[in-house]
């Protein structure tokens, strides 16, 4: 059950700085950060430091944000 970053992300990077396993990345062409579901250990540290409320546990995503499960995973393929 990895955590997932949604389009509320303001690319501040605080999540990536606080992830103990370096699961969070982005690229210059992207407008948000992404969590690698293969690396995330579901600690919740990213969610607790996100000032934009952009991060959710995947089983707590709002219905209109479900697509971000795939969007986060696809960034790492
Ligand atoms: Fe990293 Fe923990 Fe967030 Fe997963 S839940 S992306 S391990 S900070």
């Amino acid at each position: 059950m990895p955590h997932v970053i949604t389009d509320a992300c303001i690319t501040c990077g605080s999540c990536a700085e606080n992830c103990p396993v370096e699961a969070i990345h982005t690229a210059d062409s992207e407008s948000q950060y992404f969590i690698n579901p293969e690396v995330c250990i579901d600690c919740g540290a990213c969610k607790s430091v996100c000032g934009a409320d952009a991060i959710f546990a995947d089983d707590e995503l709002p219905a209109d944000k479900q697509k971000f499960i795939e969007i986060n995973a696809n960034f790492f393929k």
Side-chain angles (χ1 to χ4, degrees), residues 6-63:
T6 68
D7 56 353
C9 175
I10 57 170
T11 64
C12 70
S14 59
C15 56
E17 288 172 13
N18 284 278
C19 176
V21 293
E22 297 186 16
I24 305 176
H25 299 274
T26 191
D28 287 345
S29 58
E30 301 289 350
S31 58
Q32 68 163 90
Y33 277 75
F34 305 93
I35 295 174
N36 188 335
E38 304 288 333
V39 177
C40 176
I41 57 171
D42 221 20
C43 70
C46 55
K47 179 175 169 62
S48 68
V49 297
C50 180
D53 287 334
I55 305 178
F56 298 83
D58 65 352
D59 59 354
E60 295 177 350
L61 272 167

